[in-house]
Amino acid sequence: MQYAHSLADYGLQTAKLIQNREVGWLTKNRKTGEFVRERQPLAKKLRMAVLFNPFIEWVDRTSLFRFWIHEKTDHSQKKESDPRSKEQIKSFVEFYQIDMDEFEPSDINAYSSFQEFFIRHHKPNARPVASPEDPSVATMVADSRVVVYDSVEETHKLWIKGRDFSIAQLISDKVAARPWANGAVASFRLSPQDYHRYHSPVRGVVRWWKELDGDYYSVDPVAIRSDIDVLAANARSAFCLSTSEFGDVLFVAIGALEVGTVKLSDKITCVLPGSAHNNAGKVTIEKGEEVGFFEFGGSSIIIAFERGRIRFDEDLKGVSAQLIEMDVEVGMTLGKATAPAS
């Protein structure tokens, strides 16, 4: 009888989660401590189950599926830029329960298209930067869900399951990737409802940047934990910051399904290595400074630190070891430098 009651309770709880569309990955809200499942359209959840299974992962190696993904992304870019797309904003805000008081403008009627709404700005001081005067404290780069691991090996073992995931593969450069060969990794996942501008976790000087063309796979945890090398296959932009406290820090912004562009700020892309007017090493990025934005859909960011140069916050490490993402806001603490400034 007790077993029957437990089974009935489980069924009712599951039905309620489905009714509320809380069918995404399990996360922990850092501010409240509450464990919740992310709100997600049922159609998207079913699509993930269909697309990321052993058979489709085999099929996915062909060019046909990749062509379909590119076509879908191009279509979405045109659709969301159309002024008529602003009609979607109200239902989108209501479904995801977005607090527009945090954004500027806060009136949804002020946006000319869904694209403009998607790359909305926070109001000043809506996301204060932790310890702004202490360069040894690294901060969150986006409103997102994050997992952290002390090494690439641990990241690959527990979270990113792609067949050949490595930092060298991620930036397509074995030599440039050497500082982070088995360094610490923070993996951020942005959902469609999130603020899609991203910020620097540390203060540093831009050493180099690059853009890499690719596909537009979903970055849902179901996809990340599949055998497909999603992060290294998707279109992405990367840059390296040289810091006194953390050594070299790698920032990789990764596009995903229905993401039309991965934009780095003009301040970063003005660095022109190899040019007669080369200014590499002369452009300083402040902690918390905006460094780019995504257009459309979900997306992901990988931050890599040299091994032994950061101690991630213990609450982040605890949930990450349980394969639970921490729901965080840009500017919150990520970790502390473990090596003294040189």
Side-chain angles (χ1 to χ4, degrees), residues 111-125:
Y111 296 95
S112 62
S113 67
F114 190 83
Q115 174 190 355
E116 186 177 286
F117 163 77
F118 191 81
I119 57 173
R120 61 196 181 275
H121 290 268
H122 277 136
K123 285 183 177 178
N125 303 317

Side-chain angles (χ1 to χ4, degrees), residues 66-131:
R66 296 185 181 196
F67 176 77
W68 177 79
I69 290 291
H70 277 294
E71 287 291 294
K72 184 174 178 63
T73 295
D74 290 342
H75 175 72
S76 295
Q77 185 172 8
K78 295 173 183 176
K79 177 183 176 183
E80 308 305 352
S81 300
D82 190 302
R84 290 172 295 181
S85 65
K86 67 182 298 182
E87 298 174 2
Q88 306 173 48
I89 299 175
K90 184 175 185 294
S91 59
F92 188 89
V93 168
E94 290 175 349
F95 180 83
Y96 287 111
Q97 301 175 348
I98 298 172
D99 182 1
M100 289 303 297
D101 286 339
E102 297 181 343
F103 299 97
E104 193 174 57
S106 57
D107 180 3
I108 61 173
N109 296 309
Y111 296 95
S112 62
S113 67
F114 190 83
Q115 174 190 355
E116 186 177 286
F117 163 77
F118 191 81
I119 57 173
R120 61 196 181 275
H121 290 268
H122 277 136
K123 285 183 177 178
N125 303 317
R127 296 290 187 272
V129 177
S131 305

Side-chain angles (χ1 to χ4, degrees), residues 53-66 228:
N53 61 67
F55 174 71
I56 296 299
E57 287 172 16
W58 174 77
V59 173
D60 207 15
R61 298 177 188 179
T62 70
S63 59
L64 181 62
F65 185 64
R66 296 185 181 196
I228 298 173

Side-chain angles (χ1 to χ4, degrees), residues 14-15 25 58 84 152 171 174 216 258 270 272 282 331 334:
T14 301
W25 200 261
W58 174 77
R84 290 172 295 181
V152 171
I171 63 173
K174 292 182 179 179
Y216 295 91
E258 298 181 0
C270 75
L272 302 172
K282 299 179 182 178
L334 173 64

Side-chain angles (χ1 to χ4, degrees), residues 155-278:
T155 307
H156 196 190
K157 178 181 178 181
L158 294 177
W159 190 250
I160 302 174
K161 297 292 188 176
R163 285 180 293 270
D164 303 309
F165 173 76
S166 67
I167 300 299
Q169 184 194 44
L170 187 64
I171 63 173
S172 295
D173 191 325
K174 292 182 179 179
V175 175
R178 285 174 182 168
W180 315 286
N182 198 28
V185 173
S187 176
F188 300 82
R189 179 175 63 87
L190 288 72
S191 292
Q193 71 271 24
D194 289 323
Y195 163 81
H196 266 73
R197 294 177 181 272
Y198 41 87
H199 300 246
S200 179
V202 296
R203 183 182 190 274
V205 175
V206 180
R207 290 191 57 193
W208 55 260
W209 69 275
K210 66 190 301 186
E211 293 180 340
L212 299 110
D213 193 19
D215 298 305
Y216 295 91
Y217 294 107
S218 169
V219 292
D220 186 276
V222 174
I224 296 295
R225 293 177 54 73
S226 73
D227 284 341
I228 298 173
D229 295 312
V230 169
L231 299 182
N234 282 5
R236 55 209 185 276
S237 296
F239 64 92
C240 170
L241 290 178
S242 180
T243 78
S244 298
E245 295 74 25
F246 298 92
D248 285 347
V249 177
L250 176 67
F251 189 115
V252 187
I254 305 165
L257 187 64
E258 298 181 0
V259 170
T261 53
V262 182
K263 299 271 192 184
L264 292 179
S265 70
D266 292 342
K267 188 173 179 179
I268 291 174
T269 57
C270 75
V271 175
L272 302 172
S275 164
H277 303 287
N278 181 13

Side-chain angles (χ1 to χ4, degrees), residues 249-314:
V249 177
L250 176 67
F251 189 115
V252 187
I254 305 165
L257 187 64
E258 298 181 0
V259 170
T261 53
V262 182
K263 299 271 192 184
L264 292 179
S265 70
D266 292 342
K267 188 173 179 179
I268 291 174
T269 57
C270 75
V271 175
L272 302 172
S275 164
H277 303 287
N278 181 13
N279 55 353
K282 299 179 182 178
V283 175
T284 298
I285 301 295
E286 299 298 331
K287 181 172 68 173
E289 182 176 346
E290 184 184 317
V291 290
F293 63 88
F294 295 108
E295 290 182 342
F296 321 118
S299 35
S300 185
I301 296 168
I302 296 290
I303 306 296
F305 295 87
E306 294 182 30
R307 188 169 178 82
R309 297 300 298 268
I310 188 172
R311 182 175 65 253
F312 289 124
D313 292 347
E314 289 301 322

